[in-house]
Each structure stands twice: as C-alpha cells, then as structure tokens.
C-alpha cells in the first residue's frame, strides 16, 4: 500500500494514469499485501542481492577463465537469491549430466555433502519435474507418492513441503531448481511459483550462455595450445628437448597432473621412461616394462590406445609402479607413438586435473599430439644420425691430416677427451658441447697447409718456420670458410692459440674476448703436448703437466677454466690416454 501512495504523490495531475498505475501497482503488490515492515525489509534485501547477483554474473561472464567453477558460482549465487526472495530455508539446483541429475548448488543442513552427488533421472520430485518439464508443488511430502525420502533421511533433513521448477533452455530441460520448507511453516503459494519460474528462466539463460562461453573458450584454448605445441615440437632437432616438450605438451593439452613418454628399447624390446616430469622423475626412470606389461606395455604391444577412468580396477595396471613412485594413478589416456609403421613409444597423460574424468576428446587430442611427436622424434633422430655421420667424416679428415705427423698420433682424440672433461665441469649447454667437440676434432686441420719441412722437422723451428707454423689456425678457418653451419666452429679454430693475457696468436685476443671453446681447447691442447713425446723433448708425467697448467693460469689460461680442469683431474676424468 505504501508503494501506491508514493506513486500517486509523484503524479498528482495525471489522475487517470495515476488510477491506472494504482490498479497495476495494487495488482503487482498483491503478493506483498498484508506484509509487515519486516517483510518489506526482507524484500529490499533480496532486491539488493539481485543487484549483487547481476554483478557476480557480469564478472563471471567477463572472466576468460569461466568453466565448471564459474558456472557453479553462478548457480550458488542464484540459489541464495531464490531462497531469499521466496522466504525458504533450503534448496538445491540440479543439472542434467549424462544419465543423472547432479547436485551443483545446495543450501541447507549438510548441503556440502550433496554437491556433485548424482540422482537418477526418474527419482523423486526433481526427477518428475525434469522428465515432464513442468513445475510441481508438494504441500506435504509425506503424503506425496512422487516424493523420494532417500536423501532427506540420509541427511536427516526434516522435509515438509517442496516446490520444484525445471530449468529450460532452447526447448530442452537442462536442470531443476527445488526449494524446501517455506519459512514460518507456511505453504508455498502460486506467487512463489511464478517468481521461481521467472528466476529459473533467467538462470537457464545465464547458465546456457556461461556454458557456451566456457565451451568456446575451451575449444579456442585447445586449438591455440595445439598450434603452439606443434610449432614448439617442430622448432627443435635436439632429441632430449623434443622428448621434454612432448611431455609438457601432453600434460598441458589434456589438463593432466603428470605426463610421461616411454620409448621402446630397440635391443630388448622393453619400454623405458625416457622423460618423466615432476618430482617423481628419478624414481619413475627406474621402471622398465616388458612389452605387454602394464597399461603402457599393452598399448605398445597391441598398437591400440587406452582411455581408462578407473585405473585401479583395470587388470592391466602395473601396480609395482605405484609402489616404486608412491604416486596414485586415478585415470589415464595412453596412446602409441608410431613411426614408419612400427610402435616406437607410448605417450601418457595421467590424472585429469580437478578430479575430472578423461573424455573421448582428450583421447583424440592425444592421438593428434602423438603423430606430431612421432614426426618430431623422427626428425631429431635423423638429425642426430646426420650429425654423427658429419662428425665421423670430420674425424676421418682430421685423422688424415694427423697421419702426416707421426709424433702427434692420437692427439685429436686426446684433445677431444680432455676438452669434454673440462666442459662437463662447467655445465656447458648441450649445443655448446657439440660445437666444442667438433672444434676439438678440427682444431689443427689447418696443418694441412704447413710444409712438410716445417711440420716434420726434428729440431726446434727457427723464426720464419714458427711464423709459417702459426698460420695453421688461419688456414683451418679458411678451409671451412664456405660452410655456413661451421661459422661458430671456424671462430674457435682461429682462436685456439690465443692466450688469456693477450700474448697469443693470430689476433692477440685477451680474456673473455677469446671464445670459451677456444680457451678450453687451449688447456687440453697444451696438456697433451706436455704429456707426449716431441722430436726435441721427451714427454713429461701427469703431475708435471698439471702443475704447468696451474702455473700458467691467469697468464696463458682462463683461471676459471683451469679450476674446472682441476675438478676434472680430481674426478679422475683427465688421464693420459695412449694414442
Ligand atoms: Fe694448433
């Protein structure tokens, strides 16, 4: 009534319109007729909550991360407002998922126990409302044959009356809202049903929109991830990098807790964990599976994929892995990796995040990824073979040059070994190690341009001969001058006789201006020269050679590299190798 008076006061001249409004307002105000101040305050609070709900909704819909959690928040906020507006103490929102209705929001005693709980589609009043797509009011559930007391008894919830309405979107029922026990032991009325139906209409629209948005974002994210992963996988020719990236890809693409890659050992036919990311890596790597053993072994042996959402009850599951790793596998997607018509490994995603189950779509994504991984592994393998062939050719070339000088037989092999030992104690990146190895093999290849009279001379060289001999780094650089891929190696070859204090040749480079690989080779080269016989002197022993390197640290050699050399010596990795 108070609403009516305010409306009339604001339009004193428009009597007709005012009367009309009076009628409309009275008609609209009918549900509230007879309400006290407290009821009106409650309605005002409820309206404020509606406004808040709109804000929550807008925020959720704006959020790019809307997903299951976002939809659940929306349902929970709606339910609070619904209960407030209808003056009801408890209620739930159930959504249709597969063969069940699932409790997704709930208020009332022990309501948390209800969340995610499935209810058969034909059970109780919620089931009837879902199947018939119609609202339903039960004034006294104990006299209602449609009511199922199962859940109420379990939760010891004293259900008296219920009102339930369907959530309908695009001509389909997608869920049910049920509210229980009108406050003050009052019965539900027609007005309550109308309000609930209106709110249900709005909620169904919002939920459908949120789910659609969530689905589009998920598809867009999956496509972007697939493209990104494909680019990353194809950007590397390094075998270990490709394997690591494959694991990261399967974990991220399938939203799994962990991923792993097992490869088939060509000699034994066993499967071994090549890379396993996460804390358990060391323990996982101990596991080897016989072909056919465990789920991965089954996948490899049968060349078939596996999507298993209850791994613990699968007879193929290799329980020993769980004991070794102390890691509980809940569910898994596992697909073979095929190359040239045979299975070369298995890619696995383990435990879908958020307690969810893997889907057929996950399996499909894993298949696509395994094909990309197979190509990337094959490319990396071919590249490694090519590089090995190239390295062997370089070694053969260097050995041919070395043959000219009988006193330096085996020199290259030893310089390579010593250089790699120093590099290991510096933790050089893999690519640098490869360059170092190649440069160590080829470092003296320029000696091919040195005259026999100088190279093979059995006495000390005179001034001119020394000058001619000092041309070999430049000759070596020139020989490889036309090979673009050898650019970094050329620089190392040129600088392997430079000295830390700038007194070396050919450029007199100083300190860190000398490439690090050349600084390493310089130490290895000298250590070998001291420990082998030369035309004009006998070989010195290991200790003398080590002391000589130490003595020249900071003058001829980089002190940090000499320290790494000493660490390699202490570790027994620098021994005098017989050529
Ligand atoms: Fe040299």
């Amino acid at each position: 009534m108070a609403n009516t008076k305010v409306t009339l006061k604001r339009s004193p001249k428009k009597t007709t319109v005012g009367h009309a409004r009076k009628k409309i307002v009275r008609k609209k105000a009918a549900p509230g007729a007879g309400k006290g101040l407290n009821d009106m305050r409650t309605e005002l609070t409820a309206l404020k909550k509606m406004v808040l709900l709109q804000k929550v909704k807008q925020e959720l819909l704006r959020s790019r991360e809307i997903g299951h959690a976002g939809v659940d928040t929306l349902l929970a906020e709606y339910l609070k407002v619904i209960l407030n507006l209808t003056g009801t103490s408890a209620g739930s929102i159930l959504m249709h998922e597969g063969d069940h209705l699932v409790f997704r929001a709930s208020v009332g005693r022990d309501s948390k126990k209800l969340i995610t709980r499935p209810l058969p589609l034909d059970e109780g009043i919620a089931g009837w409302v879902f199947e018939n797509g119609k609202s339903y009011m039960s004034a006294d559930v104990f006299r209602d044959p449609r009511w199922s007391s199962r859940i109420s008894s379990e939760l010891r919830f004293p259900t008296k009356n219920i009102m339930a309405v369907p959530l309908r979107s695009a001509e389909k029922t997608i869920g049910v809202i049920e509210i229980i026990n009108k406050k003050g032991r009052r019965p539900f009325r027609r007005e309550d049903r109308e309000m609930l139906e209106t709110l249900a209409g709005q909620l169904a629209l919002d939920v459908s929109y949120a789910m659609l948005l969530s689905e589009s974002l998920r598809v867009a994210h999956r496509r972007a991830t697939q493209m990104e992963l494909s680019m990353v996988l194809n950007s590397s020719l390094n075998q270990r990098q490709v394997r690591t990236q494959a694991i990261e890809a399967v974990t991220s693409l399938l939203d799994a807790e962990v991923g792993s890659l097992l490869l088939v050992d060509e000699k034994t036919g066993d499967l071994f964990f090549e890379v396993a990311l996460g804390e358990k890596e060391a323990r996982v790597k101990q596991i080897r599976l016989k072909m056919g053993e465990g789920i991965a072994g089954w996948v490899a042996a049968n060349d078939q994929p596996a999507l298993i959402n209850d791994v613990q009850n699968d007879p193929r599951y290799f329980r020993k892995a769980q004991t070794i790793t102390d890691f509980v596998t809940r569910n898994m997607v596992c697909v073979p990796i095929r190359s040239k018509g045979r299975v070369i490994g298995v890619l696995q995603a383990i435990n879908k995040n958020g307690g969810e189950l893997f889907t057929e779509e996950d399996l499909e994504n894993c298949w696509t990824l395994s094909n990309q991984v197979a190509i990337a592994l094959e490319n990396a393998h071919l590249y490694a073979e090519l590089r090995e062939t190239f390295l062997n050719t370089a070694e053969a070339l260097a050995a041919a040059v070395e043959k000219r000088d009988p006193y330096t037989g085996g020199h290259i092999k030893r310089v390579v070994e010593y250089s790699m030992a120093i590099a290991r104690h510096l933790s050089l990146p893999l690519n640098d190690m490869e360059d170092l190895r190649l440069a160590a093999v080829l470092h003296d290849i320029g000696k091919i341009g040195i005259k026999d009279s100088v190279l093979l001379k059995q006495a000390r060289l005179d001034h001119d001969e020394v000058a001619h001999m000092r041309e070999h780094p430049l000759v070596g650089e020139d020989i490889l001058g036309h090979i673009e891929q050898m650019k970094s190696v050329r620089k190392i070859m040129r600088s392997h006789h430079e000295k830390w204090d700038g007194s070396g040749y050919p450029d007199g480079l100083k300190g860190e201006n000398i490439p690090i690989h050349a600084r390493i080779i310089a130490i290895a080269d000298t250590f070998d020269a001291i420990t082998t016989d030369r035309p004009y002197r006998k070989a010195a022993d290991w200790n003398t050679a080590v002391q000589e390197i130490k003595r020249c640290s900071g003058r001829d050699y980089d002190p940090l590299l000499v320290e790494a050399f000493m660490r390699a010596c202490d570790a027994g990795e620098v021994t005098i190798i017989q050529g």
Side-chain angles (χ1 to χ4, degrees), residues 183-431:
K183 282 180 187 166
R185 294 177 172 269
R186 285 180 290 167
F188 285 113
R189 292 175 305 190
R190 187 172 50 86
E191 296 79 23
D192 292 322
R193 197 189 72 205
E194 281 170 4
M195 186 180 291
L196 195 55
E197 282 173 350
T198 308
L199 286 165
Q202 189 57 47
L203 172 59
L205 269 179
D206 288 346
V207 167
S208 302
Y209 180 59
M211 284 169 132
L212 202 66
L213 189 67
S214 170
E215 177 62 12
S216 326
L217 287 172
R218 203 176 54 74
V219 170
H221 174 258
R222 200 187 69 220
R223 288 202 181 134
T225 312
Q226 267 174 345
M227 273 181 68
E228 201 181 312
L229 295 176
S230 170
M231 278 165 70
V232 168
L233 275 171
N234 288 313
S235 69
S236 174
L237 284 170
N238 178 288
Q239 298 196 73
R240 184 165 168 86
Q241 246 171 26
V242 169
R243 290 164 188 169
T244 311
Q245 280 154 0
I247 299 296
E248 284 171 351
V250 77
T251 314
S252 142
L253 190 64
L254 271 71
D255 192 20
E257 196 179 332
V258 290
S260 55
L261 171 70
L262 292 98
L263 293 178
V264 177
D265 183 329
E266 285 185 9
K267 285 181 191 152
T268 64
D270 290 353
L271 284 162
F272 60 98
F273 283 84
E274 174 53 25
V275 187
L277 297 178
E279 298 162 17
K280 317 273 184 188
E281 174 161 351
R283 278 188 269 172
V284 170
K285 281 189 146 185
Q286 297 169 14
I287 305 168
R288 281 181 88 91
L289 297 171
K290 293 254 169 265
M291 191 55 82
E293 188 177 35
I295 294 168
W298 182 90
V299 165
N302 293 281
D303 193 6
Q304 293 285 325
L307 162 63
I308 306 164
N309 272 320
D310 185 8
V311 168
Q312 295 294 325
N313 287 318
D314 193 293
R316 293 167 291 184
Y317 182 51
F318 183 63
R319 225 155 268 287
K320 207 169 138 197
Q322 189 163 311
T323 318
I324 296 172
T325 59
D326 198 20
F327 180 86
V328 179
T329 303
R330 204 164 29 82
N331 49 23
M332 179 195 284
V333 168
C334 193
V335 299
I337 303 169
R338 293 178 190 147
S339 179
K340 292 178 185 159
R342 63 191 178 94
V343 177
I344 58 162
V346 167
L347 195 59
Q348 286 180 327
I350 298 167
N351 293 354
K352 182 89 171 172
N353 279 329
E356 303 273 324
L357 303 178
F358 284 114
T359 60
E360 286 294 328
E361 190 186 325
D362 287 324
L363 183 66
E364 225 170 88
N365 287 336
C366 203
W367 260 125
T368 311
L369 183 64
S370 103
N371 289 333
Q372 290 172 338
V373 169
I375 294 167
L377 282 175
E378 181 65 20
N379 285 344
H381 178 68
L382 284 175
Y383 180 72
E385 270 187 356
L386 202 67
R387 200 160 168 88
E388 194 57 36
T389 309
F390 175 64
L391 200 64
N392 290 341
T393 312
E395 273 170 355
L397 182 66
V401 175
E402 201 179 50
K403 280 253 178 327
R404 287 182 61 212
D405 181 358
Y407 279 96
T408 56
H411 172 69
I412 291 163
K413 190 179 155 199
R414 293 188 296 267
V415 171
V416 170
E417 292 298 324
Y418 302 148
S419 299
M420 297 312 275
I422 299 169
R424 280 195 295 275
H425 286 268
L426 285 169
S427 305
L428 270 199
L430 197 67
N431 286 346

Side-chain angles (χ1 to χ4, degrees), residues 135-152:
S135 302
Y136 189 83
M137 274 200 286
S138 181
D140 180 358
V141 291
F142 287 99
R143 292 184 183 181
D144 193 326
R146 284 188 183 139
W147 186 58
S148 158
S149 61
R150 189 170 64 89
I151 291 177
S152 286

Side-chain angles (χ1 to χ4, degrees), residues 443-444 447 472 496-497 525:
H443 75 282
D444 267 347
K447 284 188 178 168
H472 79 271
H496 77 274
H497 282 289
D525 196 13

